[in-house]
Amino acid sequence: MADAKVEKEAGPAPGGEIEQQENVPRKREYKDFGEEKHKATHAKVDMNQIELKAEDLYDKEKVDLETIVIEDVFALLQVTEEGLDDEEAERRLGLFGPNKLESEEQNPFLQFLSFMWNPLSWVMEAAALVAIALSNGGGRPPDWQDFVGIVTLLLINSSIGFYEERGAGNAVKALMDSLAPKARVKRNGKWQEIESANLVPGDMIAFKIGDVVPADCRLTEAINVSIDQAALTGESLPCSKKAGDQCFSGSTCKAGEAEGVVIATGANTFFGRAASLVGQDDDTTGHLQKILAQIGSFCLVAIGIFVLLEIVILYPAFHYSYRRGLDNILVLLIGGIPIAMPTVLSVTLAVGAQQLAKHKAIVTRITAIEELAGVTILCSDKTGTLTTNKLTIDKQLVKTYGPFSPDDVMLLAAYASRTENQDAIDSCVVGMLDDPKKARAGIKLLDFKPFNPVDKRTEITYREEATGRLKRVTKGMTGKIIELCTRNKTDDVENRLEADVEEFATRGLRALAVAYEELDHDDHEGEGNGFELIGLLAIFDPPRDDTKQTIDDALALGIKVKMVTGDQLAIAKETGRRLGLGDHMYPAKVLKEGPAPGSKHATLDEMIMDADGFAGVFPEHKYEIVKRLQGLGHLCAMTGDGANDAPALSRANVGIAVEGATDAARGAADIVLTEPGLSTIVHAIRGSRVIFQRMRNYSIYACAVTIRIVVCFGILAFAYKFDFPPFMVLIIALLNDGTIMTLSVDRVLPSNTPDSWDLAEIFAFAVAYGLYLTLSTIALMIIIVETTFFEDKFGVSFTGGQSGSRKDANDYEIHMIIYLQVAIISQALIFVTRSHSWFFMERPSTALLCAFCIAQLISSIIAAYANWGFTQIRAISGGWIGIVWVWNIIWFLPLDLIKFAMKATIIKYLRERKARQVAELVAQQAHGEVPLTRTQSRAASLHESLYSNRVSFIRRAARKVGFGTNAPRMAPNELTRFASIQASQSGAVLARNPSRPH
């Protein structure tokens, strides 16, 4: 080493220069991860000719304000570094609008009315109109009792829906509130502070550490600027910015200070584009509304058939009076429609939301619970969601090149770090020590050089207290550190270093080199004996402690997990390997370019389905991935924490904002986690599947009751001209639904696979149960009317004096007997529909059992004491009540046998047919015979869209009569980098409205 030092001081030997040139080693480039740079280019148009066509300005090949030189930016935006004057700023404010995001406020009254706008409600409303307006004549007043009962149910249903809807978060509002409220701008050549909403393209702005960037801009000056844009782009590290670089609105300045020129404001910023994607679809029909639509259609068809039959039979054939026929039709309308289905399901979901809250999951859109049960794919953001968003040193990967151990290297690196006012790198280096105080223990700080963008390293000179010797340590970018090293920079060391850096880079790890030297004197500013490379540290954003277990649990529940991150591909692959997700990931560009020719994927959809994740994505990419997965028939959940996740969170069937998420993410999400990590998601999935089972049980029950009512009373009307009182059907509905509401806390087991609404099975069960219960009532009616069996065997009689083998079917006591029989066995059906085995093998909740008993007690009391002449019923004796109870028990017991018979025959056939269809489709797709179909996952047909809570009809009508505002909506343009679109829009408007003559 001494010889080398002498040779260095003496200079090269004669002829050495030529020899050195001949043997110059190759120039080594330690290209650390994430160091790719893009050179600025000139616009491919003459910037002096500013009057371009709008379509030219949208052409990224011609104008791209993200990459063109800053001089061209000033030319395009018609501004100088002196900024705008007040007059021009005011003019541009009129052209571009304020620098804020607009949201459309919905009229509360119309929102409430919208919950009465669906076919189920229409039938209820029609029944109310029939009861109050059409039921006149015959010497009887309007049927106001039925009218009041129906309207009460309508108002209850709408009130619950309205309450839940108003409580949901507003994503666009949260995004708007996140914008910086104030901005420092140069107007009339002077710096001043204004409302950020008044910024316009071309304004000169300034910001410093701690400020939120108020608008998208290109920097004209930058002093040690570091910008945290993780919430916007998903990048885990703050980005260093220099003059000419772009900064996004909503990002935060972490270090330095800067000036720049605004290129986009409000809805045209990166931030604003994300907001415009949130809820951009006109389709507002959720998955549960779609299911309700199909169940409602089933009920409507059944009702419609028998209403039509009654009209064509009762009036022409039986010569019914107008009022008598209407009463029979009312029975079908009131009893056939599952009047309280939306209410019952809302209560079930609301109770489920309260249960999920105990697991620290706050539900902001109540119907998301039902969709979560059926989720088949979980797309997760990486930064801050799967990972901690806190840089860490991987202690297992510390590389050493000298006589120091890995622990020594980490300690020396901590010496060369700030212990106060730390940046992200210094914080993670000091944080790797078991005790951060060791970073200054045993040494006396003499000099410290913080990181700067030129040297790209930190350096400490200190005195070791134990020996009194001066020493120096530096850490920083690999290429800069190795240039300083003179003591051990051999080919062998450089080859090892180059290989190690490349290994780190391929794994998405940032390399941090550490070098050390000693000073042989007491001057801490003097030169040392030469730096020696001693180690290389790997920096990464580690997964959360519970993430891997959560992913494993999700996979066990039949849910495929895909990572969707704004970070770079190598980082995504490394994170995927560490979590067991796999590293089969693609860069975002494939979403535009599609699969490469000759690849194993025929279509982009196939590639998305096969991928473990995507890297380098922007908000529009996340949105597109979720949308395509939905188009393939999957229910998709998305987790995230930043504004860049908001569009996808909004589009997903279930958007989940993790703990610590931004207001934008929480506003767009359906479920907000209030506890760190993703483990809560597993609890939420299991909980949602419990809730789904409750809703499925109720749906079978509701459809069965529809079949039971319309078929039973239709046949009785045709056979016996039986006129059952409509008010008693309403009583049956009220008692049934009051009992069924306790299903919201019923004991059920969650499934181990994603749930789905197999409506063919539900309808098949419903028809079987409904026809069987119909048979039980008709058989009872035949025995009562046609025989004297009960009178002879049990000694009962009718107080009206009816006797003999043929009685009047419309005797008020017979009305009461039929009421009691229908009320009891209809409610008892729920114990069969809620169980998968024998009804007594799966214990119901105490609440359900108690509610059933109370409802039956009320029904029996009504039967024993209610002499309500207005509704054509008369109290019956205890003997008849006992007969009805025994009759129902006898008919109830075989219901389980019907369930098992259905499973063994029709249900088995339906499942096998469905499995064959799926297998055939997969086989055809594998052979390229049938492309992957793009079906709409949400409102795809007329009858589904009718069930939307916020239908376009209501909005159009509201605007015509003067309610609400017709706020502009931003239609999605070609999905490219935001900056190009923003700049082109600004330039196009200015081109049409120039501020100077040409």
Side-chain angles (χ1 to χ4, degrees), residues 579-629:
L579 293 174
L581 268 180
D583 58 1
H584 193 196
M585 300 186 185
Y586 299 99
K589 65 179 182 180
V590 303
L591 296 172
K592 181 178 180 180
E593 299 172 358
S599 69
K600 65 177 182 178
H601 302 116
T603 66
L604 177 58
D605 290 321
E606 287 183 2
M607 177 179 287
I608 291 176
M609 280 301 302
D610 180 60
D612 295 319
F614 293 87
V617 297
F618 277 75
E620 70 271 30
H621 298 135
K622 296 183 181 184
Y623 181 92
E624 179 68 13
I625 291 169
V626 171
K627 187 175 180 179
R628 281 182 173 271
L629 288 172

Side-chain angles (χ1 to χ4, degrees), residues 140 143 146 310 314 320 323-336 708-718 720-733 736 777 780-781 808-824 826 859 862-863 868-874 876:
R140 294 163 57 194
D143 192 358
D146 290 334
E310 287 200 350
L314 299 185
Y320 267 34
R323 183 68 179 269
R324 185 181 179 187
L326 275 183
D327 286 344
N328 278 274
I329 292 173
L330 267 179
V331 169
L332 302 188
L333 293 178
I334 298 173
R708 187 256 199 289
I709 294 292
V710 298
V711 176
C712 175
F713 289 113
I715 291 176
L716 289 178
F718 303 148
Y720 291 105
K721 299 182 180 179
F722 184 67
D723 301 326
F724 192 72
F727 187 78
M728 297 313 294
V729 175
L730 192 59
I731 294 295
I732 292 173
N736 281 359
T777 304
L780 178 63
M781 186 72 172
D808 180 8
N810 285 313
D811 183 271
Y812 285 8
E813 289 177 81
I814 292 180
H815 284 174
M816 183 67 86
I817 292 171
I818 296 302
Y819 156 75
L820 185 60
Q821 193 271 337
V822 171
I824 293 172
S826 294
S859 294
I862 289 175
W868 298 339
F870 72 88
T871 189
Q872 300 178 358
I873 60 170
R874 185 183 299 120
I876 56 178

Side-chain angles (χ1 to χ4, degrees), residues 657-723:
V658 299
E659 190 270 341
T662 62
D663 288 341
R666 288 196 298 268
D670 305 308
I671 297 176
V672 179
L673 306 184
T674 59
E675 209 170 59
L678 296 179
S679 59
T680 305
I681 293 178
V682 175
H683 294 299
I685 291 171
R686 291 196 179 104
S688 67
R689 292 184 182 180
V690 167
I691 296 163
F692 180 90
Q693 291 299 319
R694 293 167 180 161
M695 292 193 295
R696 179 182 180 276
N697 296 342
Y698 171 73
S699 298
I700 295 175
Y701 166 82
C703 293
V705 169
T706 293
I707 296 296
R708 187 256 199 289
I709 294 292
V710 298
V711 176
C712 175
F713 289 113
I715 291 176
L716 289 178
F718 303 148
Y720 291 105
K721 299 182 180 179
F722 184 67
D723 301 326

Side-chain angles (χ1 to χ4, degrees), residues 833-847:
T833 62
R834 66 170 295 279
S835 61
H836 296 280
S837 181
W838 296 96
F839 77 91
F840 53 81
M841 298 293 289
E842 299 179 29
R843 182 171 71 84
S845 66
T846 303

Side-chain angles (χ1 to χ4, degrees), residues 266-279:
N268 294 322
T269 61
F270 183 107
F271 202 79
R273 284 285 299 172
S276 71
L277 287 175
V278 173

Side-chain angles (χ1 to χ4, degrees), residues 458-472:
T458 63
E459 181 182 287
I460 185 174
T461 305
Y462 63 92
R463 185 182 301 276
E464 193 174 57
E465 293 179 350
T467 62
R469 302 190 62 181
L470 296 186
K471 298 182 179 181
R472 186 175 289 146

Side-chain angles (χ1 to χ4, degrees), residues 139-353:
R140 294 163 57 194
D143 192 358
W144 61 267
Q145 296 93 344
D146 290 334
F147 174 78
V148 171
I150 295 170
V151 171
T152 299
L153 285 176
L154 268 172
L155 293 175
I156 291 173
N157 176 54
S158 297
S159 297
I160 291 176
F162 175 76
Y163 173 79
E164 296 297 340
E165 188 69 31
R166 294 295 289 182
N170 189 313
V172 175
K173 184 177 185 300
L175 285 164
M176 178 181 65
D177 292 343
S178 297
L179 284 173
K182 297 286 185 179
R184 186 168 173 76
V185 62
K186 183 181 283 188
R187 292 276 175 86
N188 302 312
K190 296 179 180 180
W191 289 104
Q192 55 184 285
E193 190 173 71
I194 65 170
E195 295 288 335
S196 64
N198 294 327
L199 288 178
V200 294
D203 263 329
M204 295 298 299
I205 59 172
F207 54 86
K208 59 185 184 304
I209 183 170
D211 289 346
V212 175
V213 180
D216 284 8
C217 62
R218 287 285 299 275
L219 299 183
T220 55
E221 293 184 21
I223 304 173
N224 296 338
V225 173
S226 178
I227 300 293
D228 180 3
Q229 53 192 35
L232 295 171
T233 65
E235 296 170 286
S236 41
L237 278 174
C239 300
S240 297
K241 298 287 186 178
K242 63 181 187 302
D245 287 346
Q246 184 185 26
C247 288
F248 294 130
S249 168
S251 56
T252 305
C253 182
K254 289 293 188 180
E257 54 186 62
E259 295 179 11
V261 56
V262 173
I263 63 171
T265 58
N268 294 322
T269 61
F270 183 107
F271 202 79
R273 284 285 299 172
S276 71
L277 287 175
V278 173
Q280 73 170 17
D281 289 340
D282 290 332
D283 157 26
T284 54
T285 302
H287 187 256
L288 185 59
Q289 279 79 23
K290 173 181 175 180
I291 299 305
L292 281 175
Q294 295 172 339
I295 294 175
S297 297
F298 172 83
C299 296
L300 287 176
V301 169
I303 294 169
I305 290 173
F306 278 86
V307 166
L308 185 61
L309 286 174
E310 287 200 350
I311 291 174
V312 300
I313 293 176
L314 299 185
Y315 288 113
F318 297 164
H319 306 292
Y320 267 34
S321 67
Y322 170 73
R323 183 68 179 269
R324 185 181 179 187
L326 275 183
D327 286 344
N328 278 274
I329 292 173
L330 267 179
V331 169
L332 302 188
L333 293 178
I334 298 173
I337 277 292
I339 295 177
M341 175 177 277
T343 304
V344 171
L345 295 186
S346 293
V347 171
T348 302
L349 292 172
V351 172

